[in-house]
Amino acid sequence: YFELVRRLTGPRRAALAAACAAALCGWGLPMTWIAGVQDLWMLVFSLAALHAVMSGRPWLAALTLGLALLSKETAVVVPALATVSCLLVERRTLQQTWARCWALWVVLLGWMFLQFTSRAGGAHLAPGVSAGFLSPVAAMRNAVLAIFNLDLRPNPEAGWGSAAALALLGWAPLA
């Protein structure tokens, strides 16, 4: 993190930013909770991918992005961050940006395809639960809709009238 910020702002600001990030109390949970280790690995590999992009090494960036995606799915934002960084922070042209970031997008698309198609047959379901067969296109559509909780048709337990009344009661104090 220090090296990435140093490249952007200089050593003094990078030292301050790294010290502030290290002092955050939120690091305690990922270091002691076993599932938090995935987050830490994802951060390490994501920062390495960004650093490789800034250094002009797309193959190394692709490798480290792949490792970040294997660690945690939230690394999907790295290609977009790298692209925006090249365009807005480093002020590179579209051609230069594509030369540095194309491998990240290829890895991301490949990872998305494998993720979504592996879930098509119900690989993510508990043993004994059958999802039936979904085509890769239908599986990708459902996965994208699931990001916004739109993959299933809403059906409130107490009916739509009750749900609307509760929603209005929740909005009344805000209004």
Side-chain angles (χ1 to χ4, degrees):
Y1 178 69
F2 170 82
E3 182 60 26
L4 188 68
V5 177
R6 185 193 62 76
R7 293 184 88 156
L8 297 173
T9 64
R12 295 181 79 189
R13 288 183 180 162
L16 179 62
C20 289
L24 290 172
C25 64
W27 291 110
L29 181 67
M31 288 195 289
T32 57
W33 183 40
I34 192 66
V37 172
Q38 292 175 322
D39 295 290
L40 295 175
W41 280 117
M42 184 271 303
L43 286 171
V44 166
F45 290 129
S46 295
L47 286 170
L50 291 172
H51 186 66
V53 166
M54 293 176 73
S55 301
R57 295 182 279 177
W59 293 107
L60 181 60
L63 173 68
T64 53
L65 174 64
L67 293 170
L69 287 168
L70 289 173
S71 301
K72 193 90 171 161
E73 291 86 1
T74 50
V76 297
V77 300
V78 171
L81 290 173
T83 302
V84 168
S85 175
C86 284
L87 288 172
L88 300 180
V89 177
E90 297 180 22
R91 301 193 190 283
R92 297 191 180 278
T93 65
L94 283 175
Q95 219 172 11
Q96 292 170 330
T97 298
W98 180 247
R100 287 180 179 246
C101 298
W102 70 270
L104 295 177
W105 291 104
V106 169
V107 168
L108 178 62
L109 290 173
W111 175 84
M112 288 173 64
F113 181 78
L114 290 174
Q115 281 290 110
F116 297 151
T117 56
S118 70
R119 293 179 182 196
H124 65 291
L125 298 174
V129 177
S130 174
F133 177 76
L134 288 176
S135 71
V137 173
M140 290 180 86
R141 182 195 69 232
N142 287 350
V144 170
L145 289 173
I147 293 170
F148 305 101
N149 290 331
L150 296 173
D151 57 328
L152 300 174
R153 186 175 155 250
N155 189 11
E157 206 173 296
W160 283 103
S162 175
L166 284 173
L168 290 174
L169 282 174
W171 276 94
L174 295 173

